[in-house]
Amino acid sequence: MIMPHPVRHSRIPFGLTLAVGASGASALGLQMVWARMFALGLGQELPSTLGVITAFFGGLAVGSRWGGRALDRLPSPGIRCAVLEALTAFWALATVLLVPWVAESSWQWLGPAPGVGLHWVVSLLLPGVVLLPATLCLGAMMPAMERLISGFRADGLRVGPLYAVNTLGAVVGVLASVLWVQRRWGLSGSVIGFAGLQCLCAVLFLWTGRRVRSVEAMTSTVAQGGDRLDPSRLRATLWLSGLLGIGFEVLATRLLSQVLENTVFTYAVILAAYLLFTALGGALQNRFAPKASRALGWLLPGVALSVAMAGWVLRQTPLLVSMLRGGMGTLALPAMVAEFLVASSVVAPPALAMGMLFASLISEAGRHPRFLGVALSWNLIGSALAPAVMALGLIPALGTRWSWILLGLGYLTLVPGWRRMRWVAMAGWAVAAVALMSLPKDLHLQTPPPGGRIVTLREGPSDTVTTVVQADKHRILRINQRFTMGGTASALAERRHGHLPLLLHPEPRRALFLGVGTGISFSALDAHPGLVAEGIELVPEVAEVMPEFASHNAHSDRLTVRVADARRFVRASTQRYDVVIADLFHPARDGAAGLYTREHFQAIRDRLSDGGLFCQWLPLFQLDTYGLRMITATFLEVFPDASALLLRLNADTPVIGLIGGNGRHLWSPEALERRLNQPSLREALKPMALAEVLPVMGTWFADTETLKTYSQSVGINTDDHPFLLFDAPRTLGPVPPKGQALLSELLDLQRPFPEGLCAGRPADECRRFRAYLEARDAHLRGLIAESQGRPEAAEQGFLRSVVLSADFTPGYAQLITRASLRAHSDPNGARRLLNLLIEARPERTVARDLKVRLGL
């Protein structure tokens, strides 16, 4: 005979409410950290993030269905909750060592370049195996907490508030994890911190549950009378609503990342917005919604209609982002608030309706004796399948628009039969269906620039890739609308990315190029006789559209492009390379910071042959001072004899390269002279003005001591403490960093002349080299002044470069161009410039001939 509990309180103790919220915070905080840990280990952020989501929901499903049976004999539900929290904390601590070990082992299973399908399968399944003990316990927590709370509530209104409080705690956990915890404590420290919070929850559950003794007594009032949904229909509705709800989250995140900044904070704010409004929906359910058996007729069409409305709002988010751009400042919190508002404009109505639907269904499940855990498991199974169904199935096969439409229509298929529907619900069903089918065709959010057109569009699991023909007929490659990966207009400059590092090696035979993009930079390697090279590209869709740039990236079969994650490829490969080149990676983009960690640099050094070298190109126009100093300090940790070179003469988008070697002196004029004597290579280098020794040696920019002085007193970017991941997004504010400002800062450093590069060389050659470097720096200062709107200072810089070196000609060319353009509007100014050039370089006839031709 089941006896009712002797004491029933009308109010839930505050300590229990706090424990339920803190439990949600710790669970989602751990999810965020684990996703980052698996991303660093398995490679590529989205598969690892979705893998952790799948692991969470899969483990939660099993745990909610069967996880609590082993604890049924415990004397009270408070002890049960405490044990589950303690077990989760224990396994969380174990993952600090387990996840890196499993990730390292996976490199051997997968190899350096596994197929895309295999990579996704492993990324989705491996976290589930590793995290299973913890997720099982978390899955058993919801039924356990419901039984505990039922000891304090006699009215049966338990699950809705429980779900709301737990989810609100999850919102706090998500935001705290990325805003403060991971940045301050690192990944391992964050896991330990959240495990400690779970231990605190265990204590709170023990303390607040001490007055509730009988587990069986909790079932005495759950079997209430009235209309109830058939259990089989309830299971089906819960399963499909879980699949559709998380599918919507995955798809909304995928699309919103294209209009937001796509940093580590972007995913967090989208997830927080989704969780917050589902929690509010759960809280509203008990107050306003009728029982599920009567609510589905209008609630399901309401969810479908809200999904359609969200699609129309999504199409307007680029405009909303431009309006809020001023709020996306250099501080993390204001930028997150602005991104949160944009994300909420899209996800709020659907998430609110989904939260009400879920809470209504779960409350209905609570009315069936001992059915809550079973019901939860069906919902969670659908949720676990959603990432794979959406990312690997619907989006690549149908595109984002039809995937969005099918999500909304899926809710309409759950509406009860037409005979039971009222006319209001039927009208809602029809309106929702029409609204969904009329969603705009460009829901993918890809728009061409003014005067341009999109010629190819590929929607993959993680990225949308387009090839765009601009108004000037040049082509560019874009990822997710916001990130341009090069184009034909800058083809000559892009080829320098490949040529310069190779020229610093005396005899390269094998090279590795990380970040192929359009393939233009990579194709430059084909000009080096006898070189065999591999190019690594992360995004499969980028590799698919490379033929669109065939006129600029054609190469022989000595060059091979592989689709793989750069971090994993480097660690899993056993090949040795004479030269490794890492192209430009925007450090603020989610995942790119992992390519600037000490562990990654060390893995590259391990792949270098004796005398090999590594070049890491750095975009100064996408960095601030702190980020550049941190990357430099991290590079010096692995390559203590590093130096720097300048890619080209440009002040608006300046690029430098950090050069590190494995034993051999890199800057050798003798070896370079031998390389340039190869006729085919020399011809290939002439369009880039790199066919002579002096212009190549003239790219030298800073020695080891200068770099060490510049980067002292900053942290090292590591896998466990990825400071750059959280600091680099500051560069994505409304006023992006100006490349000329950071370039000017570097020019102001005390950079001694590299006497070692002249060792054993004739004195006149060393004098010319010194003059060339001084002239180059003067010219750069002129370019900086020009970009800052100071034409007189710019001319002074160009003229100084002409005076300093007869070998350095860009300054002379700049002033000739200026004089030609000024001849009609300002003949006196043009005459003055030409006279100065004739005086500085009387041996050159260009200025004198131009003066005569213009009649000056």
Side-chain angles (χ1 to χ4, degrees):
M1 178 178 177
I2 298 177
M3 299 296 294
H5 193 276
V7 179
R8 286 291 179 92
H9 302 272
S10 61
R11 296 179 63 87
I12 298 175
F14 173 75
L16 181 55
T17 303
L18 183 62
V20 171
S23 178
S26 60
L28 264 294
L30 283 171
Q31 178 183 324
M32 298 297 291
V33 182
W34 281 331
R36 188 60 50 190
M37 294 173 71
F38 276 107
L40 288 170
L42 298 178
Q44 197 175 357
E45 274 53 41
L46 184 64
S48 299
T49 299
L50 297 185
V52 172
I53 294 175
T54 301
F56 251 70
F57 285 118
L60 292 174
V62 177
S64 64
R65 179 66 177 86
W66 293 289
R69 292 188 177 182
L71 304 177
D72 279 345
R73 296 183 180 181
L74 292 177
S76 78
I79 294 178
R80 172 184 289 189
C81 292
V83 170
L84 289 171
E85 290 284 356
L87 290 174
T88 305
F90 170 78
W91 194 256
L93 293 174
T95 61
V96 172
L97 300 176
L98 187 60
V99 171
W101 178 80
V102 170
E104 185 173 355
S105 301
S106 72
W107 304 332
Q108 308 305 320
W109 311 334
L110 292 171
V116 175
L118 177 60
H119 178 212
W120 272 90
V121 169
V122 172
S123 296
L124 290 174
L125 295 182
L126 191 59
V129 176
V130 176
L131 303 179
L132 184 60
T135 55
L136 282 175
C137 295
L138 291 172
M141 277 300 297
M142 181 65 78
M145 288 190 294
E146 192 274 338
R147 293 194 183 187
L148 176 58
I149 291 176
S150 67
F152 297 92
R153 293 294 296 262
D155 55 7
L157 300 180
R158 305 182 298 268
V159 181
L162 170 66
Y163 168 68
V165 172
N166 188 257
T167 307
L168 285 173
V171 173
V172 175
V174 168
L175 297 178
S177 180
V178 298
L179 268 177
W180 189 74
V181 178
Q182 292 186 49
R183 173 65 176 83
R184 187 176 183 87
W185 293 352
L187 301 186
S188 297
S190 298
V191 172
I192 295 171
F194 285 119
L197 180 59
Q198 288 178 315
C199 292
L200 178 61
C201 292
V203 174
L204 288 173
F205 281 127
L206 281 176
W207 178 64
T208 57
R210 66 190 186 280
R211 291 169 292 175
V212 182
R213 298 296 180 186
S214 172
V215 175
E216 289 78 8
M218 311 308 169
T219 65
S220 61
T221 63
V222 294
Q224 303 172 17
D227 295 334
R228 290 187 294 178
L229 283 178
D230 177 72
S232 61
R233 178 172 180 79
L234 184 57
R235 282 193 293 265
T237 305
L238 281 164
W239 177 82
L240 188 56
S241 63
L243 176 68
L244 297 174
I246 299 304
F248 173 80
E249 180 203 341
V250 172
L251 183 56
T253 302
R254 167 80 163 69
L255 288 169
L256 281 169
S257 295
Q258 297 179 180
V259 294
L260 302 178
E261 295 295 353
N262 194 25
T263 68
V264 64
F265 303 114
T266 300
Y267 172 69
V269 297
I270 297 172
L271 178 58
Y274 179 82
L275 291 174
L276 175 63
F277 288 102
T278 54
L280 292 177
L284 291 173
Q285 180 270 338
N286 272 336
R287 184 173 297 272
F288 298 109
K291 295 177 181 178
S293 58
R294 298 195 300 270
L296 294 183
W298 63 267
L299 192 52
L300 287 167
V303 177
L305 183 59
S306 67
V307 170
M309 292 170 54
W312 285 100
V313 174
L314 175 70
R315 189 61 193 85
Q316 306 305 316
T317 50
L319 177 61
L320 182 58
V321 167
S322 65
M323 294 171 56
L324 293 174
R325 178 68 63 180
M328 298 182 185
T330 59
L331 298 177
L333 187 57
M336 287 183 68
V337 171
E339 290 198 331
F340 179 83
L341 293 175
V342 176
S344 297
S345 70
V346 175
V347 306
L352 193 69
M354 292 172 190
M356 294 185 68
L357 175 64
F358 175 76
S360 181
L361 293 171
I362 289 299
S363 294
E364 175 68 15
R367 301 173 65 215
H368 296 258
R370 302 186 67 86
F371 189 63
L372 179 61
V374 176
L376 273 174
S377 67
W378 281 100
N379 182 263
L380 293 166
I381 289 171
S383 301
L385 294 174
V389 170
M390 185 57 61
L392 298 182
L394 292 181
I395 293 176
L398 303 177
T400 50
R401 177 177 179 267
W402 275 106
S403 298
W404 196 283
I405 291 172
L406 289 179
L407 279 176
L409 294 178
Y411 282 101
L412 295 181
T413 64
L414 295 172
V415 176
W418 288 94
R419 293 180 180 178
R420 300 180 58 188
M421 291 178 63
R422 298 180 179 180
W423 70 269
V424 176
M426 294 175 62
W429 194 100
V431 170
V434 171
L436 285 165
M437 296 304 297
S438 61
L439 284 173
K441 293 183 178 180
D442 58 350
L443 194 64
H444 49 64
L445 302 178
Q446 307 299 304
T447 56
R453 58 188 176 90
I454 296 175
V455 293
T456 59
L457 189 150
R458 299 283 192 279
E459 292 189 279
S462 58
D463 299 284
T464 299
V465 177
T466 55
T467 304
V468 178
V469 176
Q470 297 177 298
D472 60 2
K473 306 305 180 184
H474 281 290
R475 297 192 173 211
I476 59 172
L477 176 64
R478 292 193 313 192
I479 292 185
N480 296 331
Q481 181 69 15
R482 300 178 62 85
F483 186 36
T484 301
M485 296 187 65
T488 56
S490 57
L492 286 178
E494 290 185 33
R495 289 194 179 98
R496 294 174 71 99
H497 290 239
H499 282 305
L500 282 173
L502 286 170
L503 290 173
L504 298 182
H505 192 284
E507 194 175 2
R509 287 288 174 256
R510 182 174 288 274
L512 177 65
F513 195 98
L514 305 178
V516 173
T518 61
I520 295 174
S521 298
F522 179 58
S523 66
L525 279 60
D526 204 31
H528 295 256
L531 181 72
V532 176
E534 295 172 276
I536 308 303
E537 175 52 51
L538 174 65
V539 183
E541 292 74 27
V542 169
E544 291 175 9
V545 302
M546 282 182 60
E548 296 290 332
F549 300 88
S551 59
H552 292 78
N553 66 12
H555 54 77
S556 70
D557 56 6
R558 292 187 291 110
L559 273 60
T560 305
V561 176
R562 301 182 183 275
V563 176
D565 178 83
R567 280 178 55 96
R568 187 189 61 246
F569 185 94
V570 169
R571 296 198 181 194
S573 176
T574 58
Q575 185 61 255
R576 297 279 181 172
Y577 300 95
D578 299 314
V579 178
V580 177
I581 304 169
D583 211 354
L584 302 174
F585 305 118
H586 197 314
R589 303 300 177 190
D590 195 14
L595 298 171
Y596 296 109
T597 65
R598 178 178 59 196
E599 290 80 1
H600 179 58
F601 290 154
Q602 183 61 56
I604 290 176
R605 176 155 192 166
D606 293 341
R607 298 273 63 80
L608 293 178
S609 60
D610 292 339
L613 68 90
F614 169 50
C615 176
Q616 175 65 70
W617 293 112
L618 298 177
L620 300 187
F621 55 96
Q622 294 170 342
L623 287 166
D624 59 9
T625 299
Y626 185 77
L628 177 60
R629 292 177 64 207
M630 179 179 294
I631 294 174
T632 303
T634 305
F635 194 89
L636 287 167
E637 280 276 304
V638 180
F639 299 97
D641 298 325
S643 57
L645 76 162
L646 184 72
L647 176 67
R648 58 186 174 130
L649 300 173
N650 187 294
D652 294 318
T653 57
V655 175
I656 67 168
L658 297 179
I659 296 287
N662 196 9
R664 182 179 292 167
H665 180 64
L666 302 178
W667 296 86
S668 171
E670 296 85 357
L672 178 59
E673 194 169 13
R674 290 194 299 271
R675 295 289 315 282
L676 295 178
N677 283 334
Q678 297 172 295
S680 60
L681 178 59
R682 190 181 187 89
E683 287 300 314
L685 294 173
K686 282 182 177 179
M688 287 149 282
L690 294 176
E692 303 294 335
V693 172
L694 192 55
V696 177
M697 295 297 292
T699 63
W700 179 93
F701 194 73
D703 64 0
T704 303
E705 293 305 316
T706 301
L707 295 178
K708 287 181 177 178
T709 302
Y710 178 70
S711 61
Q712 63 185 355
S713 303
V714 296
I716 303 300
N717 192 49
T718 68
D719 283 357
D720 194 55
H721 283 83
F723 297 112
L724 194 65
L725 179 71
F726 303 100
D727 292 333
R730 294 179 301 185
T731 64
L732 297 175
V735 182
K738 295 182 177 180
Q740 64 265 25
L742 194 51
L743 179 60
S744 179
E745 179 181 311
L746 295 176
L747 288 172
D748 290 339
L749 297 175
Q750 296 296 323
R751 294 173 296 129
F753 177 73
E755 300 286 353
L757 273 61
C758 285
R761 307 296 293 179
D764 180 66
E765 185 176 318
C766 290
R767 181 193 59 76
R768 290 174 57 204
F769 181 38
R770 182 189 292 271
Y772 189 96
L773 292 179
E774 292 176 354
R776 181 206 63 189
D777 288 354
H779 182 79
L780 288 171
R781 294 187 186 279
L783 291 175
I784 293 171
E786 185 177 46
S787 66
Q788 294 174 341
R790 298 184 291 121
E792 293 183 359
E795 290 179 2
Q796 291 175 5
F798 299 147
L799 184 60
R800 176 168 171 75
S801 74
V802 173
V803 172
L804 286 171
S805 172
D807 298 298
F808 185 86
T809 59
Y812 191 94
Q814 279 274 4
L815 293 177
I816 288 290
T817 301
R818 283 171 173 265
S820 300
L821 295 175
R822 197 180 295 179
H824 298 291
S825 61
D826 182 15
N828 291 331
R831 184 183 302 107
R832 179 183 62 84
L833 281 180
L834 293 174
N835 287 336
L836 289 173
L837 289 176
I838 294 171
E839 180 182 352
R841 291 296 162 196
E843 71 276 11
R844 295 181 184 172
T845 62
V846 177
R848 186 177 294 106
D849 294 343
L850 180 61
K851 184 178 179 182
V852 172
R853 188 167 69 250
L854 295 175
L856 299 175

